[in-house]
Amino acid sequence: MGTDIHGHIEVRNDCVDTSEPDDDGPDVRWHPVGNLDHFFMGRNYFSFGCLFGVRDASFDPLAARRGFPADASRAVARAFAEERDDSHSPSWISWAELAAVDWDEPAELEPHPSAFEYRRGPDGQWAWKGCGTSSERLAELIGTDARTAMWAGEHWPEGTEWLDGDRLFRIARLSRRQAVPDGQWGDVWTVMRTLAKRHGPENVRLVVWFDN
């Protein structure tokens, strides 16, 4: 069974959230900005592990299982409560923390490098494509079986390359940037970065939880 991520971007400011008026007065702390489902699509276990310590253990996670924030906005708390019976590993991370990350840091916790695929771009540079995306073709290039090719990092030293036209296979270690690609997370970061310019990096956060 696969694992999915859910969550919301929140901002902390002095704006009044009028969506849920009650006798206790307005919530002037954290306010919901957008559902993560509107900005992030799909599954990426490298991302889940790198950011929140879920499913993949290649990296020391940035914000593993911090728990659901007690001061979450009412709307986000309600969304989490509705899914709580089926959810796990709630956590959160601020834009200040994300902005300080060394995204070029290589994975140190994975047991061995992996065979990554790169494609030559219009500028002639090699662009990272993924891991294990064409193991059968790599097996042909190496002259081995698909299983050995899938775990090529166990058998060939880091830096070993196999050229296949405009495609390149290289034994390397995953970087945080590759684990959390802009192609998937760019919209999330853009929203958080924009909010941080107005409200401050510590006042913008992403609250998440997972389900299987």
Side-chain angles (χ1 to χ4, degrees):
M1 182 178 294
T3 299
D4 293 309
I5 189 171
H6 306 278
H8 291 259
I9 298 171
E10 289 187 316
V11 63
R12 180 170 54 190
N13 58 21
D14 294 330
C15 296
V16 174
D17 179 359
T18 59
S19 62
E20 292 272 347
D22 57 31
D23 294 336
D24 295 330
D27 181 354
V28 294
R29 292 186 60 78
W30 288 99
H31 312 280
V33 173
N35 191 317
L36 182 61
D37 291 345
H38 298 161
F39 309 109
F40 177 87
M41 298 294 292
R43 294 171 176 165
N44 185 329
Y45 294 156
F46 286 137
S47 296
F48 298 171
C50 178
L51 293 171
F52 303 109
V54 173
R55 289 299 299 249
D56 182 74
S58 299
F59 296 89
D60 184 12
L62 302 177
R65 296 174 172 81
R66 290 177 168 175
F68 188 79
D71 59 350
S73 61
R74 286 190 295 268
V76 176
R78 184 172 61 247
F80 176 64
E82 290 174 352
E83 302 177 17
R84 189 165 188 169
D85 290 343
D86 299 316
S87 66
H88 61 85
S89 308
S91 194
W92 59 270
I93 190 168
S94 71
W95 178 250
E97 293 172 295
L98 289 165
V101 173
D102 176 7
W103 293 105
D104 293 320
E105 178 187 357
E108 294 293 341
L109 303 182
E110 60 182 348
H112 54 76
S114 301
F116 293 125
E117 180 180 343
Y118 300 78
R119 296 290 180 90
R120 194 189 302 276
D123 58 358
Q125 300 299 311
W126 293 108
W128 186 77
K129 180 67 175 179
C131 174
T133 53
S134 303
S135 57
E136 292 185 359
R137 176 54 182 157
L138 177 58
E140 294 176 3
L141 293 172
I142 296 175
T144 187
D145 59 273
R147 178 174 176 78
T148 300
M150 176 70 73
W151 301 102
E154 293 183 348
H155 307 285
W156 284 270
E158 190 169 350
T160 303
E161 296 182 343
W162 295 271
L163 183 63
D164 184 27
D166 285 336
R167 178 165 53 183
L168 175 72
F169 295 94
R170 177 186 298 148
I171 304 298
R173 290 189 180 273
L174 194 70
S175 71
R176 288 192 186 272
R177 189 183 310 279
Q178 292 165 338
V180 189
D182 281 344
Q184 286 185 316
W185 291 90
D187 289 345
V188 180
W189 305 155
T190 296
V191 172
M192 295 183 72
R193 184 186 302 110
T194 301
L195 290 167
K197 290 179 180 179
R198 177 178 178 183
H199 303 288
E202 293 286 356
N203 294 321
V204 179
R205 70 183 179 188
L206 175 64
V207 180
V208 302
W209 56 90
F210 298 81
D211 65 34
N212 294 332

